[in-house]
């Protein structure tokens, strides 16, 4: 019995000693924009063993969105770093005893489900061979859109709006939370923003929304009949391929 206990203890000790801490920096970067960090609630990171799906590390990215000049304006070469000490990331520390194929999954943004995207990649981790610096960067495409007017399932009296322009309003930001403004780094003039309006399930028209202040887009139309309305607001940037959508339903009653 003592011999068996000794063997088991030896095997456990050997496995512990042979496993090596392996660090990997993982970052989430918005397409055509900056990094996703604390100001947006972070991106959620899951590192799994590819073979058995065991979770090896999990957490959220923290830190800043990064240096705008470095990321968006600097000249990039093969070895150019686009991060600094403050740039958001998640440092995973994993103990492995042999080369391990892992799956890295990024889910972002956490707080805006209508804009949430999941991206992933796979790579081999080698025991004790850290992947630091810029690390592994996964790109999150899209825009975050929040329709502000009308509100979801808002009941609106036809008498209060008949013959008046009915306002549509949406807040739109990059997937890192970076601002959209006229002639800014992310130029509102380059982004097509429209509302697709339906009544009782039937298409009515498109409504153009234009920037009125930082991140805020507005448009209007006349609503002269009662019914169940649906507004789908989309943003489209041809150069980057970024898109985003939000939708609300509301009721106009007699």
């Amino acid at each position: 019995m003592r011999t068996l206990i000794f063997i088991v203890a030896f095997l456990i000790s050997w496995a512990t000693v042979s496993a090596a801490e392996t660090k990997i920096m993982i970052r989430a970067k918005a397409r055509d924009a900056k990094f996703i960090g604390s100001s947006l609630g972070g991106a959620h990171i899951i590192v799994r063993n590819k073979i058995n799906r065991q979770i090896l590390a999990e957490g959220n990215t923290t830190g800043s969105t990064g240096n705008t000049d470095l990321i968006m304006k600097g000249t990039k070469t093969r070895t150019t770093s686009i991060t600094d000490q403050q740039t958001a990331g998640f440092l995973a520390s994993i103990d492995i005893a042999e080369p391990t194929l892992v799956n890295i999954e990024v889910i972002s943004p956490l707080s805006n489900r209508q804009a949430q995207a999941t991206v992933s990649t796979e790579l081999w981790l080698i025991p004790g061979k850290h992947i630091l610096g810029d690390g592994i960067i996964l790109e999150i495409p899209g825009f975050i859109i929040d329709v502000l007017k009308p509100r979801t399932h808002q009941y609106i009296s036809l008498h209060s709006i008949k013959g008046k322009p009915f306002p549509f309003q949406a807040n739109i930001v990059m997937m890192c939370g970076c601002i959209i403004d006229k002639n800014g780094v992310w130029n509102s003039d380059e982004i097509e923003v429209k509302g697709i309006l339906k009544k009782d399930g039937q298409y009515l028209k498109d409504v153009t929304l234009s920037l009125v202040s930082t991140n805020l887009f507005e448009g209007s139309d006349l609503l002269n009949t009662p019914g169940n309305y649906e507004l789908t607001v989309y943003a489209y940037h041809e150069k980057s391929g970024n898109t985003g959508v939000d939708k609300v339903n509301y009721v106009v009653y007699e």
Side-chain angles (χ1 to χ4, degrees):
M1 185 65 177
R2 288 182 178 178
T3 302
L4 179 60
I5 293 173
F6 174 80
I7 292 173
V8 172
F10 173 79
L11 290 174
I12 293 173
S13 174
W14 179 85
T16 302
V17 170
S18 62
E21 181 186 39
T22 307
K23 296 179 180 180
I24 176 171
M25 173 60 71
I26 304 165
R27 306 183 196 271
K29 180 181 175 295
R31 178 183 291 175
D32 189 41
K34 298 167 67 178
F35 290 88
I36 299 165
S38 302
S39 62
L40 201 65
H44 192 65
I45 311 293
I46 305 173
V47 183
R48 289 186 175 92
N49 183 307
K50 168 67 175 178
I51 303 302
N52 59 21
R53 306 301 293 168
Q54 177 188 2
I55 294 178
L56 304 177
E58 184 174 10
N60 295 342
T61 60
T62 58
S64 77
T65 57
N67 184 305
T68 302
D69 289 341
L70 188 64
I71 299 167
M72 302 301 301
K73 301 177 182 179
T75 301
K76 298 178 179 63
T77 65
R78 180 182 177 187
T79 57
T80 300
S81 175
I82 59 171
T83 67
D84 55 28
Q85 291 296 318
Q86 288 72 46
T87 303
F90 170 69
L91 182 61
S93 180
I94 301 169
D95 291 331
I96 50 175
E98 59 184 5
T100 303
L101 183 61
V102 299
N103 174 273
I104 300 174
E105 185 176 276
V106 177
I107 304 166
S108 184
L110 291 177
S111 302
N112 301 81
R113 294 295 178 90
Q114 82 282 4
Q116 199 170 88
T118 300
V119 298
S120 64
T121 191
E122 295 175 355
L123 71 153
W124 284 97
L125 294 185
I126 310 301
K129 305 301 180 182
H130 308 309
I131 301 174
L132 301 173
D134 283 2
I136 302 299
I137 300 174
L138 283 85
E139 183 181 78
I140 309 293
F143 295 104
I144 300 174
I145 301 181
D146 294 294
V147 176
L148 306 179
K149 291 180 181 179
R151 304 188 308 274
T152 297
H153 211 246
Q154 182 178 359
Y155 273 70
I156 302 163
S157 165
L158 180 61
H159 174 73
S160 68
I161 63 172
K162 195 167 185 178
K164 305 174 185 177
F166 183 79
F168 304 115
Q169 190 179 80
N171 190 77
I172 305 176
V173 298
M174 305 301 293
M175 291 293 269
C176 52
C178 299
I179 65 172
I180 297 170
D181 214 343
K182 187 174 181 64
N183 299 321
V185 176
W186 298 276
N187 186 358
S188 60
D189 290 342
E190 298 179 351
I191 302 171
E192 178 183 315
V193 180
K194 287 189 177 180
I196 303 170
L197 192 62
K198 291 183 178 180
K199 176 181 172 291
D200 298 326
Q202 300 298 314
Y203 169 81
L204 279 182
K205 63 181 68 177
D206 287 354
V207 179
T208 298
L209 280 70
S210 302
L211 188 82
V212 293
S213 64
T214 301
N215 299 331
L216 188 63
F217 291 76
E218 287 186 353
S220 65
D221 194 55
L222 296 175
L223 302 181
N224 292 318
T225 57
N228 296 306
Y229 285 83
E230 177 182 281
L231 175 69
T232 302
V233 174
Y234 74 81
Y236 167 64
H237 185 230
E238 183 178 9
K239 291 181 180 178
S240 66
N242 276 326
T243 58
V245 170
D246 193 20
K247 181 186 295 186
V248 294
N249 294 84
Y250 59 99
V251 177
V252 177
Y253 66 92
E254 291 276 15

mmCIF file with all atom_site columns, all heavy atoms in Angstrom, residues 11-34:
data_model
loop_
_atom_site.group_PDB
_atom_site.id
_atom_site.type_symbol
_atom_site.label_atom_id
_atom_site.label_alt_id
_atom_site.label_comp_id
_atom_site.label_asym_id
_atom_site.label_entity_id
_atom_site.label_seq_id
_atom_site.pdbx_PDB_ins_code
_atom_site.Cartn_x
_atom_site.Cartn_y
_atom_site.Cartn_z
_atom_site.occupancy
_atom_site.B_iso_or_equiv
_atom_site.pdbx_formal_charge
_atom_site.auth_seq_id
_atom_site.auth_comp_id
_atom_site.auth_asym_id
_atom_site.auth_atom_id
_atom_site.pdbx_PDB_model_num
ATOM 1   N N   . LEU A 1 11 ? 4.112   10.413 -9.320  1.00 0.00 ? 11 LEU A N   1
ATOM 2   C CA  . LEU A 1 11 ? 3.546   10.803 -10.612 1.00 0.00 ? 11 LEU A CA  1
ATOM 3   C C   . LEU A 1 11 ? 2.952   12.207 -10.566 1.00 0.00 ? 11 LEU A C   1
ATOM 4   O O   . LEU A 1 11 ? 3.122   12.999 -11.502 1.00 0.00 ? 11 LEU A O   1
ATOM 5   C CB  . LEU A 1 11 ? 2.476   9.787  -11.048 1.00 0.00 ? 11 LEU A CB  1
ATOM 6   C CG  . LEU A 1 11 ? 3.004   8.406  -11.453 1.00 0.00 ? 11 LEU A CG  1
ATOM 7   C CD1 . LEU A 1 11 ? 1.833   7.452  -11.715 1.00 0.00 ? 11 LEU A CD1 1
ATOM 8   C CD2 . LEU A 1 11 ? 3.908   8.504  -12.669 1.00 0.00 ? 11 LEU A CD2 1
ATOM 9   N N   . ILE A 1 12 ? 2.241   12.513 -9.471  1.00 0.00 ? 12 ILE A N   1
ATOM 10  C CA  . ILE A 1 12 ? 1.666   13.847 -9.312  1.00 0.00 ? 12 ILE A CA  1
ATOM 11  C C   . ILE A 1 12 ? 2.767   14.893 -9.247  1.00 0.00 ? 12 ILE A C   1
ATOM 12  O O   . ILE A 1 12 ? 2.713   15.945 -9.885  1.00 0.00 ? 12 ILE A O   1
ATOM 13  C CB  . ILE A 1 12 ? 0.774   13.922 -8.061  1.00 0.00 ? 12 ILE A CB  1
ATOM 14  C CG1 . ILE A 1 12 ? -0.459  13.044 -8.240  1.00 0.00 ? 12 ILE A CG1 1
ATOM 15  C CG2 . ILE A 1 12 ? 0.359   15.366 -7.770  1.00 0.00 ? 12 ILE A CG2 1
ATOM 16  C CD1 . ILE A 1 12 ? -1.320  12.925 -6.993  1.00 0.00 ? 12 ILE A CD1 1
ATOM 17  N N   . SER A 1 13 ? 3.802   14.591 -8.480  1.00 0.00 ? 13 SER A N   1
ATOM 18  C CA  . SER A 1 13 ? 4.925   15.514 -8.340  1.00 0.00 ? 13 SER A CA  1
ATOM 19  C C   . SER A 1 13 ? 5.632   15.710 -9.679  1.00 0.00 ? 13 SER A C   1
ATOM 20  O O   . SER A 1 13 ? 5.971   16.825 -10.058 1.00 0.00 ? 13 SER A O   1
ATOM 21  C CB  . SER A 1 13 ? 5.915   14.989 -7.300  1.00 0.00 ? 13 SER A CB  1
ATOM 22  O OG  . SER A 1 13 ? 7.066   15.793 -7.247  1.00 0.00 ? 13 SER A OG  1
ATOM 23  N N   . TRP A 1 14 ? 5.804   14.617 -10.433 1.00 0.00 ? 14 TRP A N   1
ATOM 24  C CA  . TRP A 1 14 ? 6.491   14.700 -11.732 1.00 0.00 ? 14 TRP A CA  1
ATOM 25  C C   . TRP A 1 14 ? 5.695   15.551 -12.712 1.00 0.00 ? 14 TRP A C   1
ATOM 26  O O   . TRP A 1 14 ? 6.239   16.389 -13.421 1.00 0.00 ? 14 TRP A O   1
ATOM 27  C CB  . TRP A 1 14 ? 6.673   13.297 -12.298 1.00 0.00 ? 14 TRP A CB  1
ATOM 28  C CG  . TRP A 1 14 ? 7.352   13.312 -13.643 1.00 0.00 ? 14 TRP A CG  1
ATOM 29  C CD1 . TRP A 1 14 ? 8.687   13.349 -13.903 1.00 0.00 ? 14 TRP A CD1 1
ATOM 30  C CD2 . TRP A 1 14 ? 6.695   13.312 -14.912 1.00 0.00 ? 14 TRP A CD2 1
ATOM 31  N NE1 . TRP A 1 14 ? 8.915   13.380 -15.245 1.00 0.00 ? 14 TRP A NE1 1
ATOM 32  C CE2 . TRP A 1 14 ? 7.709   13.359 -15.909 1.00 0.00 ? 14 TRP A CE2 1
ATOM 33  C CE3 . TRP A 1 14 ? 5.370   13.292 -15.317 1.00 0.00 ? 14 TRP A CE3 1
ATOM 34  C CZ2 . TRP A 1 14 ? 7.422   13.371 -17.260 1.00 0.00 ? 14 TRP A CZ2 1
ATOM 35  C CZ3 . TRP A 1 14 ? 5.075   13.299 -16.657 1.00 0.00 ? 14 TRP A CZ3 1
ATOM 36  C CH2 . TRP A 1 14 ? 6.089   13.336 -17.620 1.00 0.00 ? 14 TRP A CH2 1
ATOM 37  N N   . ALA A 1 15 ? 4.358   15.347 -12.713 1.00 0.00 ? 15 ALA A N   1
ATOM 38  C CA  . ALA A 1 15 ? 3.509   16.116 -13.625 1.00 0.00 ? 15 ALA A CA  1
ATOM 39  C C   . ALA A 1 15 ? 3.563   17.596 -13.287 1.00 0.00 ? 15 ALA A C   1
ATOM 40  O O   . ALA A 1 15 ? 3.586   18.457 -14.173 1.00 0.00 ? 15 ALA A O   1
ATOM 41  C CB  . ALA A 1 15 ? 2.068   15.604 -13.556 1.00 0.00 ? 15 ALA A CB  1
ATOM 42  N N   . THR A 1 16 ? 3.596   17.887 -11.971 1.00 0.00 ? 16 THR A N   1
ATOM 43  C CA  . THR A 1 16 ? 3.628   19.276 -11.537 1.00 0.00 ? 16 THR A CA  1
ATOM 44  C C   . THR A 1 16 ? 4.938   19.935 -11.932 1.00 0.00 ? 16 THR A C   1
ATOM 45  O O   . THR A 1 16 ? 4.967   21.067 -12.425 1.00 0.00 ? 16 THR A O   1
ATOM 46  C CB  . THR A 1 16 ? 3.424   19.379 -10.013 1.00 0.00 ? 16 THR A CB  1
ATOM 47  O OG1 . THR A 1 16 ? 2.180   18.770 -9.675  1.00 0.00 ? 16 THR A OG1 1
ATOM 48  C CG2 . THR A 1 16 ? 3.433   20.828 -9.559  1.00 0.00 ? 16 THR A CG2 1
ATOM 49  N N   . VAL A 1 17 ? 6.031   19.186 -11.722 1.00 0.00 ? 17 VAL A N   1
ATOM 50  C CA  . VAL A 1 17 ? 7.346   19.736 -12.028 1.00 0.00 ? 17 VAL A CA  1
ATOM 51  C C   . VAL A 1 17 ? 7.525   19.931 -13.534 1.00 0.00 ? 17 VAL A C   1
ATOM 52  O O   . VAL A 1 17 ? 8.094   20.908 -14.000 1.00 0.00 ? 17 VAL A O   1
ATOM 53  C CB  . VAL A 1 17 ? 8.452   18.818 -11.466 1.00 0.00 ? 17 VAL A CB  1
ATOM 54  C CG1 . VAL A 1 17 ? 9.827   19.245 -11.992 1.00 0.00 ? 17 VAL A CG1 1
ATOM 55  C CG2 . VAL A 1 17 ? 8.426   18.832 -9.950  1.00 0.00 ? 17 VAL A CG2 1
ATOM 56  N N   . SER A 1 18 ? 7.011   18.966 -14.323 1.00 0.00 ? 18 SER A N   1
ATOM 57  C CA  . SER A 1 18 ? 7.234   19.013 -15.764 1.00 0.00 ? 18 SER A CA  1
ATOM 58  C C   . SER A 1 18 ? 6.390   20.070 -16.454 1.00 0.00 ? 18 SER A C   1
ATOM 59  O O   . SER A 1 18 ? 6.735   20.528 -17.539 1.00 0.00 ? 18 SER A O   1
ATOM 60  C CB  . SER A 1 18 ? 6.950   17.645 -16.393 1.00 0.00 ? 18 SER A CB  1
ATOM 61  O OG  . SER A 1 18 ? 5.591   17.280 -16.205 1.00 0.00 ? 18 SER A OG  1
ATOM 62  N N   . ALA A 1 19 ? 5.249   20.469 -15.838 1.00 0.00 ? 19 ALA A N   1
ATOM 63  C CA  . ALA A 1 19 ? 4.411   21.507 -16.436 1.00 0.00 ? 19 ALA A CA  1
ATOM 64  C C   . ALA A 1 19 ? 5.119   22.849 -16.310 1.00 0.00 ? 19 ALA A C   1
ATOM 65  O O   . ALA A 1 19 ? 5.724   23.161 -15.291 1.00 0.00 ? 19 ALA A O   1
ATOM 66  C CB  . ALA A 1 19 ? 3.056   21.553 -15.742 1.00 0.00 ? 19 ALA A CB  1
ATOM 67  N N   . ALA A 1 20 ? 5.045   23.623 -17.365 1.00 0.00 ? 20 ALA A N   1
ATOM 68  C CA  . ALA A 1 20 ? 5.709   24.926 -17.375 1.00 0.00 ? 20 ALA A CA  1
ATOM 69  C C   . ALA A 1 20 ? 4.686   26.034 -17.567 1.00 0.00 ? 20 ALA A C   1
ATOM 70  O O   . ALA A 1 20 ? 3.770   25.908 -18.396 1.00 0.00 ? 20 ALA A O   1
ATOM 71  C CB  . ALA A 1 20 ? 6.755   24.970 -18.485 1.00 0.00 ? 20 ALA A CB  1
ATOM 72  N N   . GLU A 1 21 ? 4.856   27.122 -16.812 1.00 0.00 ? 21 GLU A N   1
ATOM 73  C CA  . GLU A 1 21 ? 3.982   28.275 -16.988 1.00 0.00 ? 21 GLU A CA  1
ATOM 74  C C   . GLU A 1 21 ? 4.238   28.885 -18.358 1.00 0.00 ? 21 GLU A C   1
ATOM 75  O O   . GLU A 1 21 ? 5.377   29.158 -18.728 1.00 0.00 ? 21 GLU A O   1
ATOM 76  C CB  . GLU A 1 21 ? 4.236   29.311 -15.895 1.00 0.00 ? 21 GLU A CB  1
ATOM 77  C CG  . GLU A 1 21 ? 3.325   30.537 -16.026 1.00 0.00 ? 21 GLU A CG  1
ATOM 78  C CD  . GLU A 1 21 ? 3.663   31.631 -15.022 1.00 0.00 ? 21 GLU A CD  1
ATOM 79  O OE1 . GLU A 1 21 ? 4.865   31.839 -14.770 1.00 0.00 ? 21 GLU A OE1 1
ATOM 80  O OE2 . GLU A 1 21 ? 2.732   32.260 -14.516 1.00 0.00 ? 21 GLU A OE2 1
ATOM 81  N N   . THR A 1 22 ? 3.161   29.095 -19.080 1.00 0.00 ? 22 THR A N   1
ATOM 82  C CA  . THR A 1 22 ? 3.253   29.657 -20.426 1.00 0.00 ? 22 THR A CA  1
ATOM 83  C C   . THR A 1 22 ? 2.299   30.836 -20.521 1.00 0.00 ? 22 THR A C   1
ATOM 84  O O   . THR A 1 22 ? 1.092   30.690 -20.341 1.00 0.00 ? 22 THR A O   1
ATOM 85  C CB  . THR A 1 22 ? 2.889   28.587 -21.480 1.00 0.00 ? 22 THR A CB  1
ATOM 86  O OG1 . THR A 1 22 ? 3.693   27.420 -21.256 1.00 0.00 ? 22 THR A OG1 1
ATOM 87  C CG2 . THR A 1 22 ? 3.112   29.112 -22.881 1.00 0.00 ? 22 THR A CG2 1
ATOM 88  N N   . LYS A 1 23 ? 2.839   32.019 -20.791 1.00 0.00 ? 23 LYS A N   1
ATOM 89  C CA  . LYS A 1 23 ? 2.036   33.241 -20.817 1.00 0.00 ? 23 LYS A CA  1
ATOM 90  C C   . LYS A 1 23 ? 1.726   33.639 -22.255 1.00 0.00 ? 23 LYS A C   1
ATOM 91  O O   . LYS A 1 23 ? 2.592   33.539 -23.135 1.00 0.00 ? 23 LYS A O   1
ATOM 92  C CB  . LYS A 1 23 ? 2.768   34.385 -20.109 1.00 0.00 ? 23 LYS A CB  1
ATOM 93  C CG  . LYS A 1 23 ? 2.994   34.146 -18.622 1.00 0.00 ? 23 LYS A CG  1
ATOM 94  C CD  . LYS A 1 23 ? 3.740   35.313 -17.995 1.00 0.00 ? 23 LYS A CD  1
ATOM 95  C CE  . LYS A 1 23 ? 3.975   35.081 -16.503 1.00 0.00 ? 23 LYS A CE  1
ATOM 96  N NZ  . LYS A 1 23 ? 4.701   36.207 -15.869 1.00 0.00 ? 23 LYS A NZ  1
ATOM 97  N N   . ILE A 1 24 ? 0.513   34.118 -22.446 1.00 0.00 ? 24 ILE A N   1
ATOM 98  C CA  . ILE A 1 24 ? 0.112   34.579 -23.768 1.00 0.00 ? 24 ILE A CA  1
ATOM 99  C C   . ILE A 1 24 ? -0.753  35.821 -23.625 1.00 0.00 ? 24 ILE A C   1
ATOM 100 O O   . ILE A 1 24 ? -1.750  35.814 -22.899 1.00 0.00 ? 24 ILE A O   1
ATOM 101 C CB  . ILE A 1 24 ? -0.611  33.461 -24.559 1.00 0.00 ? 24 ILE A CB  1
ATOM 102 C CG1 . ILE A 1 24 ? -1.103  33.985 -25.905 1.00 0.00 ? 24 ILE A CG1 1
ATOM 103 C CG2 . ILE A 1 24 ? -1.743  32.859 -23.765 1.00 0.00 ? 24 ILE A CG2 1
ATOM 104 C CD1 . ILE A 1 24 ? -1.619  32.887 -26.817 1.00 0.00 ? 24 ILE A CD1 1
ATOM 105 N N   . MET A 1 25 ? -0.338  36.889 -24.283 1.00 0.00 ? 25 MET A N   1
ATOM 106 C CA  . MET A 1 25 ? -1.106  38.136 -24.287 1.00 0.00 ? 25 MET A CA  1
ATOM 107 C C   . MET A 1 25 ? -2.126  38.076 -25.422 1.00 0.00 ? 25 MET A C   1
ATOM 108 O O   . MET A 1 25 ? -1.763  37.829 -26.571 1.00 0.00 ? 25 MET A O   1
ATOM 109 C CB  . MET A 1 25 ? -0.188  39.344 -24.460 1.00 0.00 ? 25 MET A CB  1
ATOM 110 C CG  . MET A 1 25 ? -0.926  40.676 -24.656 1.00 0.00 ? 25 MET A CG  1
ATOM 111 S SD  . MET A 1 25 ? -2.021  41.121 -23.285 1.00 0.00 ? 25 MET A SD  1
ATOM 112 C CE  . MET A 1 25 ? -0.789  41.530 -22.021 1.00 0.00 ? 25 MET A CE  1
ATOM 113 N N   . ILE A 1 26 ? -3.387  38.322 -25.085 1.00 0.00 ? 26 ILE A N   1
ATOM 114 C CA  . ILE A 1 26 ? -4.471  38.258 -26.064 1.00 0.00 ? 26 ILE A CA  1
ATOM 115 C C   . ILE A 1 26 ? -5.184  39.606 -26.077 1.00 0.00 ? 26 ILE A C   1
ATOM 116 O O   . ILE A 1 26 ? -5.540  40.150 -25.033 1.00 0.00 ? 26 ILE A O   1
ATOM 117 C CB  . ILE A 1 26 ? -5.461  37.130 -25.719 1.00 0.00 ? 26 ILE A CB  1
ATOM 118 C CG1 . ILE A 1 26 ? -4.716  35.802 -25.602 1.00 0.00 ? 26 ILE A CG1 1
ATOM 119 C CG2 . ILE A 1 26 ? -6.567  37.050 -26.769 1.00 0.00 ? 26 ILE A CG2 1
ATOM 120 C CD1 . ILE A 1 26 ? -5.517  34.705 -24.932 1.00 0.00 ? 26 ILE A CD1 1
ATOM 121 N N   . ARG A 1 27 ? -5.380  40.139 -27.270 1.00 0.00 ? 27 ARG A N   1
ATOM 122 C CA  . ARG A 1 27 ? -6.018  41.447 -27.408 1.00 0.00 ? 27 ARG A CA  1
ATOM 123 C C   . ARG A 1 27 ? -7.150  41.368 -28.428 1.00 0.00 ? 27 ARG A C   1
ATOM 124 O O   . ARG A 1 27 ? -7.104  40.568 -29.379 1.00 0.00 ? 27 ARG A O   1
ATOM 125 C CB  . ARG A 1 27 ? -4.999  42.500 -27.851 1.00 0.00 ? 27 ARG A CB  1
ATOM 126 C CG  . ARG A 1 27 ? -3.755  42.594 -26.961 1.00 0.00 ? 27 ARG A CG  1
ATOM 127 C CD  . ARG A 1 27 ? -2.849  43.708 -27.434 1.00 0.00 ? 27 ARG A CD  1
ATOM 128 N NE  . ARG A 1 27 ? -1.514  43.622 -26.879 1.00 0.00 ? 27 ARG A NE  1
ATOM 129 C CZ  . ARG A 1 27 ? -1.125  44.177 -25.739 1.00 0.00 ? 27 ARG A CZ  1
ATOM 130 N NH1 . ARG A 1 27 ? -1.999  44.857 -25.013 1.00 0.00 ? 27 ARG A NH1 1
ATOM 131 N NH2 . ARG A 1 27 ? 0.130   44.066 -25.306 1.00 0.00 ? 27 ARG A NH2 1
ATOM 132 N N   . ALA A 1 28 ? -8.145  42.232 -28.224 1.00 0.00 ? 28 ALA A N   1
ATOM 133 C CA  . ALA A 1 28 ? -9.249  42.376 -29.173 1.00 0.00 ? 28 ALA A CA  1
ATOM 134 C C   . ALA A 1 28 ? -9.179  43.780 -29.757 1.00 0.00 ? 28 ALA A C   1
ATOM 135 O O   . ALA A 1 28 ? -9.140  44.765 -29.023 1.00 0.00 ? 28 ALA A O   1
ATOM 136 C CB  . ALA A 1 28 ? -10.589 42.151 -28.483 1.00 0.00 ? 28 ALA A CB  1
ATOM 137 N N   . LYS A 1 29 ? -9.175  43.867 -31.075 1.00 0.00 ? 29 LYS A N   1
ATOM 138 C CA  . LYS A 1 29 ? -9.058  45.155 -31.755 1.00 0.00 ? 29 LYS A CA  1
ATOM 139 C C   . LYS A 1 29 ? -10.240 45.337 -32.693 1.00 0.00 ? 29 LYS A C   1
ATOM 140 O O   . LYS A 1 29 ? -10.576 44.443 -33.478 1.00 0.00 ? 29 LYS A O   1
ATOM 141 C CB  . LYS A 1 29 ? -7.744  45.227 -32.539 1.00 0.00 ? 29 LYS A CB  1
ATOM 142 C CG  . LYS A 1 29 ? -7.527  46.537 -33.276 1.00 0.00 ? 29 LYS A CG  1
ATOM 143 C CD  . LYS A 1 29 ? -6.217  46.510 -34.047 1.00 0.00 ? 29 LYS A CD  1
ATOM 144 C CE  . LYS A 1 29 ? -6.036  47.761 -34.888 1.00 0.00 ? 29 LYS A CE  1
ATOM 145 N NZ  . LYS A 1 29 ? -7.061  47.846 -35.953 1.00 0.00 ? 29 LYS A NZ  1
ATOM 146 N N   . ALA A 1 30 ? -10.883 46.492 -32.614 1.00 0.00 ? 30 ALA A N   1
ATOM 147 C CA  . ALA A 1 30 ? -11.974 46.804 -33.529 1.00 0.00 ? 30 ALA A CA  1
ATOM 148 C C   . ALA A 1 30 ? -11.423 46.993 -34.930 1.00 0.00 ? 30 ALA A C   1
ATOM 149 O O   . ALA A 1 30 ? -10.365 47.603 -35.121 1.00 0.00 ? 30 ALA A O   1
ATOM 150 C CB  . ALA A 1 30 ? -12.699 48.072 -33.068 1.00 0.00 ? 30 ALA A CB  1
ATOM 151 N N   . ARG A 1 31 ? -12.137 46.476 -35.915 1.00 0.00 ? 31 ARG A N   1
ATOM 152 C CA  . ARG A 1 31 ? -11.695 46.654 -37.303 1.00 0.00 ? 31 ARG A CA  1
ATOM 153 C C   . ARG A 1 31 ? -11.653 48.131 -37.658 1.00 0.00 ? 31 ARG A C   1
ATOM 154 O O   . ARG A 1 31 ? -12.576 48.880 -37.364 1.00 0.00 ? 31 ARG A O   1
ATOM 155 C CB  . ARG A 1 31 ? -12.641 45.920 -38.263 1.00 0.00 ? 31 ARG A CB  1
ATOM 156 C CG  . ARG A 1 31 ? -12.266 46.112 -39.740 1.00 0.00 ? 31 ARG A CG  1
ATOM 157 C CD  . ARG A 1 31 ? -13.260 45.450 -40.658 1.00 0.00 ? 31 ARG A CD  1
ATOM 158 N NE  . ARG A 1 31 ? -13.180 44.002 -40.570 1.00 0.00 ? 31 ARG A NE  1
ATOM 159 C CZ  . ARG A 1 31 ? -14.008 43.170 -41.196 1.00 0.00 ? 31 ARG A CZ  1
ATOM 160 N NH1 . ARG A 1 31 ? -14.992 43.652 -41.926 1.00 0.00 ? 31 ARG A NH1 1
ATOM 161 N NH2 . ARG A 1 31 ? -13.861 41.862 -41.073 1.00 0.00 ? 31 ARG A NH2 1
ATOM 162 N N   . ASP A 1 32 ? -10.549 48.554 -38.263 1.00 0.00 ? 32 ASP A N   1
ATOM 163 C CA  . ASP A 1 32 ? -10.352 49.946 -38.668 1.00 0.00 ? 32 ASP A CA  1
ATOM 164 C C   . ASP A 1 32 ? -10.403 50.893 -37.475 1.00 0.00 ? 32 ASP A C   1
ATOM 165 O O   . ASP A 1 32 ? -10.738 52.064 -37.611 1.00 0.00 ? 32 ASP A O   1
ATOM 166 C CB  . ASP A 1 32 ? -11.404 50.357 -39.713 1.00 0.00 ? 32 ASP A CB  1
ATOM 167 C CG  . ASP A 1 32 ? -11.125 51.726 -40.328 1.00 0.00 ? 32 ASP A CG  1
ATOM 168 O OD1 . ASP A 1 32 ? -9.949  52.014 -40.610 1.00 0.00 ? 32 ASP A OD1 1
ATOM 169 O OD2 . ASP A 1 32 ? -12.078 52.514 -40.496 1.00 0.00 ? 32 ASP A OD2 1
ATOM 170 N N   . ALA A 1 33 ? -10.063 50.396 -36.288 1.00 0.00 ? 33 ALA A N   1
ATOM 171 C CA  . ALA A 1 33 ? -10.127 51.244 -35.095 1.00 0.00 ? 33 ALA A CA  1
ATOM 172 C C   . ALA A 1 33 ? -9.128  50.735 -34.054 1.00 0.00 ? 33 ALA A C   1
ATOM 173 O O   . ALA A 1 33 ? -8.103  50.152 -34.403 1.00 0.00 ? 33 ALA A O   1
ATOM 174 C CB  . ALA A 1 33 ? -11.548 51.310 -34.557 1.00 0.00 ? 33 ALA A CB  1
ATOM 175 N N   . LYS A 1 34 ? -9.438  50.946 -32.787 1.00 0.00 ? 34 LYS A N   1
ATOM 176 C CA  . LYS A 1 34 ? -8.483  50.707 -31.719 1.00 0.00 ? 34 LYS A CA  1
ATOM 177 C C   . LYS A 1 34 ? -8.859  49.478 -30.891 1.00 0.00 ? 34 LYS A C   1
ATOM 178 O O   . LYS A 1 34 ? -9.693  48.675 -31.307 1.00 0.00 ? 34 LYS A O   1
ATOM 179 C CB  . LYS A 1 34 ? -8.391  51.981 -30.863 1.00 0.00 ? 34 LYS A CB  1
ATOM 180 C CG  . LYS A 1 34 ? -7.880  53.182 -31.662 1.00 0.00 ? 34 LYS A CG  1
ATOM 181 C CD  . LYS A 1 34 ? -8.075  54.495 -30.923 1.00 0.00 ? 34 LYS A CD  1
ATOM 182 C CE  . LYS A 1 34 ? -7.220  54.591 -29.685 1.00 0.00 ? 34 LYS A CE  1
ATOM 183 N NZ  . LYS A 1 34 ? -7.397  55.907 -28.999 1.00 0.00 ? 34 LYS A NZ  1
#
